Amino acid sequence: MKVLRAIVLIAMATAAGLAHQAAAATKLYVQNFCIRPGEVKEIFVMLDTDLTDIDFITGCLIIPEGLTVVDDAYGKNLRMKPAQNRASGFFANYNKEGYGYGGGLFSLQGYNACITGTKGPLFSMMLKADENFKFGVIEPALFFYRQKGAPEVSPGEMESGEARVPSDGVRLSFATNLLTIPAGQTRTVDVMIENSEDLKGLQADFFATGGLTVSAVEKGSGMGDGVFSYEPSTGRLIAMGNISEGSGVVLTVSITADATFKGEGLVGIINTVATNASATAFYAEETGVRLNADATAVTTVNVDADEGSIYDLQGRRTATARRGVYIKDGQQILVK
């Protein structure tokens, strides 16, 4: 019998009743993600809403067999994500034996809305896959929200997320892991690919936290001729063109910050599936780039004076450079 574990996001408020109609503009969903057996990974619970006056939410997620929720470095099993355009809010978190994992999001003293319209991460959790994990579905089983001043809560839409083991041989990564972007401006960043064989097609979904949008995606030098389309409203990229074995720039991404953007944000690529000439599907791990509105907050990698020292983009020194982007003698290099 399959074992299911429930994670409950509990709102610290009392509702007068339940509305009978779901608002199509408000949805709770889980991003698809890749996770390897034995790996611990942060995954995101997403909110998509146009409403500007939600003052509390409540929900429940079903976690499949083979995945376990673990505490992060701060001892939290659920964490509220920043940059969600919240006017104000409070997040309560607890873990009580026999009752699963819980938390709540609600406005402070009822004076403000805690959600003011956003599409992006709302909560995150750390999951660990057991050694035999292959595939699972995280399914929202309950989601209610309330608009400020309303006597009733309303049921929202829910969408499950798939967890799978990534395929070897295809990897996407942004050319940098931190980008500065002032409010009201646009920045571009390259996306690199590493693939162990020739590919014929690529599909992926882009997402951005509140205040940021992926305004355009264009072909990189590593993408051959063929059908290429990106739809900003959905974040869906579809490309049919030869991508030769090796590594290189496959996409160039334009990111725009609106006038309200401040602090930190995130742009990510998920649901990446590549195909070869035989139509074999390769599932690539999700990847992302963090953005900061403050140029003084950008960190740099300190390269020591030893000539020939090689570092990855996280600042870790490495003796041998595999395919990808590295820093050598203070300069970025691409190893093919």
Side-chain angles (χ1 to χ4, degrees):
M1 180 177 179
K2 190 173 183 179
V3 178
L4 298 178
R5 291 176 292 276
I7 297 180
V8 183
L9 311 178
I10 301 177
M12 304 297 185
T14 301
L18 299 181
H20 297 292
Q21 298 295 324
T26 300
K27 180 171 69 174
L28 185 76
Y29 64 102
V30 181
Q31 282 187 341
N32 295 339
F33 63 96
C34 292
I35 187 168
R36 299 179 184 277
E39 182 181 8
V40 175
K41 194 166 196 175
E42 181 181 31
I43 67 106
F44 299 101
V45 181
M46 313 290 284
L47 180 70
D48 187 351
T49 183
D50 296 324
L51 299 177
T52 61
D53 55 355
I54 296 176
D55 68 1
F56 78 87
I57 64 172
T58 182
C60 177
L61 302 178
I62 304 300
I63 306 299
E65 185 178 11
L67 295 176
T68 304
V69 180
V70 297
D71 289 350
D72 64 12
Y74 301 95
K76 301 290 187 181
N77 45 62
L78 297 175
R79 290 180 62 82
M80 182 191 294
K81 303 309 293 180
Q84 294 308 305
N85 293 342
R86 284 184 294 269
S88 65
F90 179 74
F91 180 65
N93 180 282
Y94 70 88
N95 175 12
K96 188 174 182 180
E97 185 176 358
Y99 292 91
Y101 297 83
L105 181 62
F106 57 99
S107 60
L108 294 175
Q109 300 178 355
Y111 291 131
N112 298 298
C114 61
I115 299 293
T116 58
T118 188
K119 181 177 181 179
L122 179 65
F123 297 94
S124 71
M125 67 184 75
M126 304 298 291
L127 291 181
K128 181 177 182 179
D130 67 25
E131 295 298 334
N132 297 316
F133 177 78
K134 294 182 179 179
F135 178 82
V137 176
I138 298 179
E139 183 176 0
L142 178 71
F143 173 44
F144 294 101
Y145 65 92
R146 184 177 68 184
Q147 291 181 264
K148 182 175 173 61
E152 300 178 333
V153 297
S154 300
E157 294 185 357
M158 298 174 287
E159 186 175 304
S160 59
E162 295 181 350
R164 65 177 72 246
V165 177
S167 306
D168 292 326
V170 176
R171 179 177 180 268
L172 293 182
S173 62
F174 284 88
T176 181
N177 60 358
L178 183 60
L179 190 66
T180 301
I181 181 169
Q185 296 193 23
T186 298
R187 293 287 187 269
T188 60
V189 59
D190 289 335
V191 174
M192 318 297 293
I193 191 169
E194 298 177 47
N195 47 301
S196 59
E197 62 178 275
D198 291 349
L199 301 174
K200 299 297 182 181
L202 183 67
Q203 178 176 300
D205 292 333
F206 287 79
F207 77 91
T209 57
L212 296 171
T213 59
V214 178
S215 50
V217 179
E218 300 176 348
K219 289 183 181 182
S221 58
M223 174 70 72
D225 293 336
V227 174
F228 188 94
S229 67
Y230 172 70
E231 177 50 59
S233 63
T234 62
R236 173 61 57 88
L237 167 76
I238 298 176
M240 300 298 294
N242 185 62
I243 305 172
S244 298
E245 176 186 349
S247 60
V249 178
V250 69
L251 303 170
T252 297
V253 178
S254 297
I255 303 169
T256 300
D258 66 21
T260 66
F261 179 71
K262 60 181 65 176
E264 296 183 351
L266 174 69
V267 169
I269 306 176
I270 60 173
N271 301 336
T272 302
V273 183
T275 55
N276 61 13
S278 302
T280 301
F282 299 89
Y283 296 90
E285 292 186 75
E286 58 277 7
T287 186
V289 57
R290 296 194 177 276
L291 295 101
N292 198 298
D294 184 3
T296 63
V298 176
T299 57
T300 58
V301 176
N302 294 317
V303 179
D304 60 29
D306 295 340
E307 184 176 356
S309 297
I310 300 174
Y311 296 79
D312 65 17
L313 293 179
Q314 285 71 49
R316 299 171 298 200
R317 188 169 181 173
T318 180
T320 58
R322 302 172 60 187
R323 290 182 302 181
V325 179
Y326 295 86
I327 296 173
K328 181 178 181 181
D329 296 333
Q331 303 294 321
Q332 279 195 3
I333 62 172
L334 174 63
V335 179
K336 298 183 177 181

